[in-house]
Amino acid sequence: MNMRVLITGGAGFIGSHLCERFLAEGHTVLCLDNFLTGSDANIAHLKGQPRFQLILHNIAQPLEVGGSLAYVLHFASPASPVDYLKFPIQTLKVGSLGTLNALGIAKAKRAKFLLASTSEVYGDPQVHPQPESYWGHVNPVGPRGVYDEAKRFAEALTMAYHREHGLDTRIARIFNTYGPRMRLNDGRAVPTFIAQALRGEPLTVFGDGRQTRSFCYIDDLVEGLRRVMDAAVHEPINVGNPDERSILEIAQQVLASCNGTQSRVEFRPLPEDDPKQRRPDISKITRLTGWQPRVSLDEGLPATVAWFREHWN
Ligand code: UDP
């Protein structure tokens, strides 16, 4: 069955991969973005397709969409620490007003709704790995609070629309993800290290590099999100790869994936409120949908480096 799908943040890193996925499934995609952190280049190859439409709009402002919609996927937001430090109020607005508007569209169209939430709702977690039942450990007034609290509010709002209006909603808590189409300068560990290695500059590891993250390749993530959409569960579901590594290990693996680089690791101060550890408990999504990540860092990092080599000018 052909669906008409609205994807906010459709020109972003994850959003653009979702646009591709729905087009490949034969659906019609309305890609909404204001290019604050997304980019035209991410969707340029889709623009000629008859089932693809770009709506240049900030979802923090109300919007009327013509025609029917089967699904609204709300992915618009600055999502890297550097971006949400640069755009703190925009981040709060898109997580609050943007989510309100996106839910309003879904309600008007009787469409299903998927919220792109985040592992940041767990803050600097005191429970490890993080199951969905953990309420988190967030500093509301720290520099990351603008993103963490906006997404926590967005989750509360999504559940309220489900409970009060019977909207058919999903909440995916997305853990660290990497792959082609990340911005080289978005400040996140993987693209930053790759850019530095390709330029022969030092890899800037913050703190002692012993803090951990668990990185999921974009193709795995998209498949996981697709399955969450088809699982009739309204409470949050973690989507991520539980392969936990220290950031120093990630830097070393990037060096190994960039043949011939002269770069070395250099240590820099740890940013405020940087979570010390992060790993998703994915037993819920696996039990509900059978999903598990397939792409290891050994495959995903070289594929990402190859993409950056080709596109970094
Ligand atoms: N990080 C780093 N060097 C960088 C960028 C990030 O050491 O140039 C560290 C950062 O301090 C954090 C981890 O890598 O501990 C992941 O950071 P990222 O910005 O990718 O995402 P986060 O998981 O913090 O949202």
Side-chain angles (χ1 to χ4, degrees), residues 79-82 84 119-120 144 176 187-193 196 204-207 209 211-213 215 247 270-271 274-275 278:
S80 87
V82 167
Y84 49 75
S119 53
E120 282 285 323
R144 300 173 83 106
N176 294 67
R188 281 186 276 203
V190 170
T192 302
F193 292 159
Q196 290 167 336
T204 52
V205 169
F206 298 159
Q211 70 273 31
T212 66
R213 295 293 187 275
F215 290 94
I247 290 303
L270 191 67
D274 198 283
R278 189 184 281 159

